[in-house]
Amino acid sequence: MTVVDGGDDRVETLARTSPVRTRLAYVAFVIGPTALAVLVLKFGFSGGVTALAAKADPVAVPLAEPGSVLYKLLLSAAVIVICAHLCGSLAQRFGQPRVIGEMMVGFLLGPSVLKLLAPDLAAAIFPTDILPFLDAIAQVGVVLFMFLIGLELPLSKLRRATGTALLTGHASIAVPFLLGVLTALLIPDEYRPVGVSPMLFAAFVGLAMSVTAFPVLARILTDGKLAGTPIGGLGMLTAAIADVTAWCGLALVVTLASDGNPAVVLRTVLLTVVFVVVMWTVVRPLLAWVASRAEKNTNHQRGVMVLLLFVILVSALITDLIGVHSIFGAFLAGMITPRVRATEEFSHQLEGLTFWLMLPLFFAIVGLRTRFDELTTLTGWLVLVLVIVVAVAGKAIGTILPARIAGLDARDAKTLAAMMICRGLTEIVVLNIGLSMGLITPSLFAILIAMTLVTTMMTSPLLARLRRTPVTPQPAPS
């Protein structure tokens, strides 16, 4: 306070002129020139503003008008953001992660609820000409989200993963994948898009059954105070291994779906391998070197953040050009990013915009594509029940039995299986890719989305019940 007052005193001592002279100078050098400029604008140009308006391009509508793209985009985004926040808070009150409520917003605002109850209001909030803009922002949000997933993976622990984590992580993918492939044989042909081979369809359904949402699970374990426990640590490591395995499987399915020509598939695989090698052997050491310099000099942190954003966008662009989808480049960029103070600050700043704005827009776009009214048929309900049973059974069998063989007691094995059931946002990203590539029909998309919501909502109650069960203390497995 003293310094500020001293500074003001020094200013006063520098300005020794009288108040009257200051006011006169203000009139002469501020009010006078401004008034003259207004007079020149008013009388010095023929036609004035109206002549300019008459020559204006009719396409260039003022952005403040209700019919403009910006107006519609801001209206849609504002409604989505506030609804996502309210539903996320409501989900937390019922012991669910916020993402459950945020996921529900998209479906409440979509054709299954809002458009059915108030079609005029739905059309006003989500006019068809604004959807491509919402979708573009949402896809950027998914790219940034995938970077954060890769960054959250415990890379140092993954390198040392052996025994129980490696066995359960891979088994929790392999067994659900097999059951999912078998389930695809039972699903009626009407749920398989025309022109999609049964093998490719079955591969994607199997993959959709095997996904575990690592980031959502991490937040559930943190909220439930399990993240610091031995079983919580094992669950995080198992989910991380399963996540990496599932993304590799999805990359292969996307590659096969992009072009059936074996030469094209081989080229895509080779380019992907080259890209991964370059990222790991060239870009990763470069980022580590830059980050180490920023650790010594905090003035370089801003440059590191800009470089990281550049790497994310370019990596996503390259994998999109290769043909394995942009999310894989962003995911790999997150994996190779060094875990230092500058990257932690970058991820913290990135999370705000991603989780508060872009991902709610993604949920809304997914909700607008989902029609739960198509599940009103008896066949639809039977397929939904089948999918949910297989999704839960696959994770249970693929986790409990291998965990018991590895030496875990019954309660810990069941707890681990409950963690692997969680699918969350990761599953929605996978399903959205399948729908956009035409691998599944909108009807099956809605069924799999419903399965995602049910299985994700099961995770927290199951964990709470299992950890309350009394058990004789046993040494933690190695």
Side-chain angles (χ1 to χ4, degrees), residues 283-322:
V283 180
R284 182 169 170 266
L286 178 62
L287 288 178
W289 178 76
V290 173
S292 65
R293 290 178 61 86
E295 289 289 289
K296 299 175 183 177
N297 188 348
T298 55
N299 293 330
H300 295 162
Q301 286 196 5
R302 182 180 181 87
V304 173
M305 295 180 186
V306 173
L307 178 61
L308 284 176
L309 185 59
F310 176 78
V311 170
I312 296 169
L313 298 177
V314 172
S315 300
L317 174 63
I318 291 174
T319 51
D320 192 61
L321 292 174
I322 289 174

Side-chain angles (χ1 to χ4, degrees), residues 150-168:
L151 189 62
E152 285 186 10
L153 287 177
L155 201 56
S156 59
K157 293 182 180 179
L158 283 176
R159 292 173 183 162
R160 303 190 302 268
T162 56
T164 304
L166 198 60
L167 172 62
T168 53

Side-chain angles (χ1 to χ4, degrees), residues 96-180:
Q96 294 291 339
R98 287 188 62 89
V99 70
I100 288 293
E102 294 169 353
M103 286 162 55
M104 292 298 298
V105 166
F107 312 120
L108 295 175
L109 296 176
S112 301
V113 180
L114 182 61
K115 192 172 182 179
L116 193 65
L117 300 178
D120 293 338
L121 179 61
I125 298 175
F126 301 109
T128 54
D129 60 337
I130 206 64
L131 298 184
F133 297 94
L134 286 174
D135 187 52
I137 299 175
Q139 293 306 319
V140 174
V142 171
V143 167
L144 299 179
F145 169 72
M146 290 303 301
F147 167 79
L148 293 172
I149 290 182
L151 189 62
E152 285 186 10
L153 287 177
L155 201 56
S156 59
K157 293 182 180 179
L158 283 176
R159 292 173 183 162
R160 303 190 302 268
T162 56
T164 304
L166 198 60
L167 172 62
T168 53
H170 286 159
S172 67
I173 292 291
V175 174
F177 179 78
L178 172 61
L179 295 181

Side-chain angles (χ1 to χ4, degrees), residues 46-371:
S46 60
V49 176
T50 55
L52 291 174
K55 296 178 182 179
D57 186 353
V59 178
V61 181
L63 293 180
E65 293 188 4
S68 70
V69 170
L70 181 60
Y71 176 91
K72 297 175 184 178
L73 182 62
L74 293 176
L75 174 63
S76 301
V79 172
I80 293 169
V81 167
I82 192 62
C83 290
H85 173 72
L86 293 176
C87 289
S89 300
L90 185 63
Q92 283 186 313
R93 287 182 172 270
F94 287 93
Q96 294 291 339
R98 287 188 62 89
V99 70
I100 288 293
E102 294 169 353
M103 286 162 55
M104 292 298 298
V105 166
F107 312 120
L108 295 175
L109 296 176
S112 301
V113 180
L114 182 61
K115 192 172 182 179
L116 193 65
L117 300 178
D120 293 338
L121 179 61
I125 298 175
F126 301 109
T128 54
D129 60 337
I130 206 64
L131 298 184
F133 297 94
L134 286 174
D135 187 52
I137 299 175
Q139 293 306 319
V140 174
V142 171
V143 167
L144 299 179
F145 169 72
M146 290 303 301
F147 167 79
L148 293 172
I149 290 182
L151 189 62
E152 285 186 10
L153 287 177
L155 201 56
S156 59
K157 293 182 180 179
L158 283 176
R159 292 173 183 162
R160 303 190 302 268
T162 56
T164 304
L166 198 60
L167 172 62
T168 53
H170 286 159
S172 67
I173 292 291
V175 174
F177 179 78
L178 172 61
L179 295 181
V181 169
L182 296 175
T183 302
L185 300 176
L186 303 176
I187 295 177
D189 289 339
E190 63 189 84
Y191 291 97
R192 176 166 57 88
V194 178
V196 175
S197 68
M199 183 191 72
L200 197 58
F201 173 75
F204 183 82
V205 172
L207 189 68
M209 294 291 190
S210 60
V211 170
T212 293
F214 173 81
V216 177
L217 176 62
R219 283 158 180 77
I220 291 177
L221 295 180
T222 301
D223 294 341
K225 296 180 174 57
L226 285 173
T229 64
I231 187 60
L234 178 60
M236 293 279 285
L237 187 54
T238 301
I241 294 171
D243 230 21
V244 174
T245 307
W247 289 121
C248 292
L250 181 61
L252 181 59
V253 171
V254 169
T255 300
L256 294 173
S258 299
D259 197 310
N261 188 336
V264 176
V265 173
L266 180 61
R267 184 197 67 183
T268 302
V269 171
L270 291 177
L271 288 175
T272 303
V273 171
V274 171
F275 174 72
V276 172
V277 170
V278 170
M279 290 287 284
W280 200 265
T281 60
V282 178
V283 180
R284 182 169 170 266
L286 178 62
L287 288 178
W289 178 76
V290 173
S292 65
R293 290 178 61 86
E295 289 289 289
K296 299 175 183 177
N297 188 348
T298 55
N299 293 330
H300 295 162
Q301 286 196 5
R302 182 180 181 87
V304 173
M305 295 180 186
V306 173
L307 178 61
L308 284 176
L309 185 59
F310 176 78
V311 170
I312 296 169
L313 298 177
V314 172
S315 300
L317 174 63
I318 291 174
T319 51
D320 192 61
L321 292 174
I322 289 174
V324 291
H325 207 280
S326 57
I327 63 171
F328 298 106
F331 178 71
L332 183 59
M335 288 187 66
I336 68 168
T337 297
R339 278 66 168 171
V340 294
R341 186 170 59 249
T343 56
E344 289 177 0
E345 178 65 22
F346 174 73
S347 65
H348 178 70
Q349 295 187 20
L350 199 63
E351 281 180 357
L353 183 64
T354 303
F355 287 99
W356 298 342
L357 174 63
M358 293 182 172
L359 286 184
L361 296 185
F362 174 71
F363 293 139
I365 289 295
V366 172
L368 293 172
R369 293 175 176 174
T370 308
R371 298 189 60 91

Side-chain angles (χ1 to χ4, degrees), residues 402-478:
R404 293 287 286 153
I405 294 172
L408 269 70
D409 61 63
R411 187 182 74 156
D412 282 346
K414 293 177 183 177
T415 301
L416 195 60
M419 296 177 190
M420 296 304 104
I421 287 174
C422 180
R423 286 176 169 85
L425 177 55
T426 305
E427 176 80 344
I428 291 184
V429 173
V430 172
L431 296 178
N432 192 61
I433 292 174
L435 181 65
S436 63
M437 297 190 68
L439 296 176
I440 54 177
T441 60
S443 299
L444 185 58
F445 176 76
I447 290 173
L448 293 174
I449 286 289
M451 177 271 292
T452 302
L453 294 173
V454 171
T455 54
T456 306
M457 287 189 290
M458 290 172 59
T459 304
S460 291
L462 283 175
L463 288 176
R465 180 168 183 174
L466 285 167
R467 301 323 289 178
R468 283 199 303 264
T469 304
V471 64
T472 303
Q474 296 184 14
S478 58

Side-chain angles (χ1 to χ4, degrees), residues 354-389:
T354 303
F355 287 99
W356 298 342
L357 174 63
M358 293 182 172
L359 286 184
L361 296 185
F362 174 71
F363 293 139
I365 289 295
V366 172
L368 293 172
R369 293 175 176 174
T370 308
R371 298 189 60 91
F372 287 121
D373 54 333
E374 296 182 1
L375 303 180
T376 55
T377 64
L378 178 60
T379 303
W381 279 106
L382 291 176
V383 173
L384 175 60
V385 172
L386 174 66
V387 165
I388 292 176
V389 170

